[in-house]
Amino acid sequence: MANESTSSTLSELYTEIVAEALFVAQEASVMRNLVTNYNITGQGKEISVPIYAAVSAAAVAEATDLSNTAVNPTEATFTASEHGVMTTLTDLGASTASRNVAADIGKLFGNAIAKRLDQDLIALFDGFSVGKGADDTALTAATVFEVAATLRNQNLPINECALVLPPTVAYDLKKNATNSFVNPADARLQNSIMGTGFIGSVGGINVYESSNVSNSGTTGDYKCGAFHPSALGLAMKQDIKVETQRDASLRGTEIVATAVWGEGEIYDSYGVEVEADSSIE
């Protein structure tokens, strides 16, 4: 069996210090709490979500019948599929490690599943019809305000919207916000960024950083996203589950982490693709 964790690989990869470093380096899911969640446990592997078009109210004279308004929703269908990762921990590897390696691997696998979930949802940014920014220009606060205006124009509560950026693009936004865009009298945003390194919100949009936003094929070019939770959906069939199975002939234990979900776009106009070029890549 290939790709096994042996005493030699474990001694290199899963010493206490290195293991803890790996755990810290991995990010828990950012996206899951920013989109609309559907629990389909105990159901089939598909869910169809109705998408309603906006309707308009009209002035009506007294004692006059209202005109009928047809409500004919379309559907967004999410199909759940399995995601997983596995390794085999040999008895010798476990007995010679300085700590509970099986538990460490389980935590590491949990983070791997969370990362894959984020990557699947982040990949949907490229599907938004409306785009702002450019793949050859660093992100500025002015662009974020333009994105905020676009989302506000959809009658969305802007404080419920999120902007997800990779750290290297967020750097440009922080640099711009603390330097050349605006100089408010109390400078609270600038002081907060300078002191904590966190952006918080710009133009009313909550800003999140995730290293799971990958470049678009060219170094430094990214397709980020700003969206309301109603723009994207996540259908969870099975949450993260870690199992073990003994392989006696190998004198080891298989460790498997799996999760089952499907993701997709719901309301396209409730999201904006934000292109940017990192100035430090």
Side-chain angles (χ1 to χ4, degrees):
M1 184 181 294
N3 298 320
E4 297 158 2
S5 297
T6 65
S7 57
S8 60
T9 59
L10 288 169
S11 65
E12 293 178 76
L13 299 177
Y14 293 103
T15 62
E16 186 168 351
I17 295 176
V18 176
E20 290 297 335
L22 286 170
F23 300 152
V24 171
Q26 294 287 347
E27 292 185 6
S29 177
V30 171
M31 291 292 298
R32 184 169 182 173
N33 294 325
L34 301 180
V35 303
T36 302
N37 283 255
Y38 302 93
N39 186 347
I40 59 173
T41 303
Q43 305 177 36
K45 67 178 183 178
E46 289 188 350
I47 181 174
S48 295
V49 179
I51 302 174
Y52 295 93
V55 297
S56 299
V60 183
E62 184 178 358
T64 301
D65 281 342
L66 287 166
S67 298
N68 186 62
T69 299
V71 177
N72 184 25
T74 57
E75 289 183 339
T77 301
F78 304 156
T79 302
S81 60
E82 290 184 299
H83 307 76
V85 59
M86 168 188 147
T87 194
T88 300
L89 175 62
T90 64
D91 293 346
L92 185 58
S95 64
T96 57
S98 61
R99 54 182 288 166
N100 187 344
V101 180
D104 286 348
I105 293 176
K107 293 175 184 177
L108 190 62
F109 280 8
N111 283 327
I113 293 290
K115 179 176 181 177
R116 177 55 191 262
L117 187 149
D118 269 16
Q119 289 173 331
D120 284 356
L121 287 168
I122 287 169
L124 298 174
F125 294 166
D126 193 32
F128 290 142
S129 298
V130 176
K132 298 295 180 182
D135 61 8
D136 59 353
T137 304
L139 184 65
T140 65
T143 299
V144 178
F145 272 85
E146 184 180 358
V147 170
T150 301
L151 294 174
R152 284 181 188 272
N153 204 40
Q154 295 295 321
N155 295 316
L156 295 172
I158 200 66
N159 64 314
E160 295 179 7
C161 296
L163 170 62
V164 178
L165 308 171
T168 53
V169 171
Y171 161 80
D172 288 319
L173 180 58
K174 294 172 187 177
K175 178 182 177 182
N176 179 253
T178 56
N179 183 25
S180 59
F181 177 59
V182 178
N183 184 26
D186 58 9
R188 282 179 294 181
L189 176 61
Q190 287 91 331
N191 290 338
S192 175
I193 295 173
M194 291 294 289
T196 67
F198 295 105
I199 297 173
S201 67
V202 176
I205 298 179
N206 298 311
V207 181
Y208 297 85
E209 295 182 40
S210 173
S211 59
N212 294 328
V213 182
S214 58
N215 66 61
S216 57
T218 302
T219 301
D221 294 351
Y222 290 91
K223 293 178 183 285
C224 314
F227 54 94
H228 185 268
S230 299
L232 304 174
L234 173 68
M236 290 297 301
K237 174 72 175 174
Q238 173 201 299
D239 214 330
I240 296 173
K241 179 174 66 176
V242 178
E243 296 180 291
T244 61
Q245 179 172 290
R246 179 69 181 163
D247 189 334
S249 63
L250 186 65
R251 290 94 59 212
T253 301
E254 294 178 353
I255 304 174
V256 179
T258 59
V260 184
W261 71 77
E263 73 289 332
E265 184 181 278
I266 307 175
Y267 286 95
D268 177 73
S269 60
Y270 288 7
V272 177
E273 180 186 50
V274 182
E275 291 190 277
D277 177 67
S278 169
S279 67
I280 56 174
E281 287 191 47

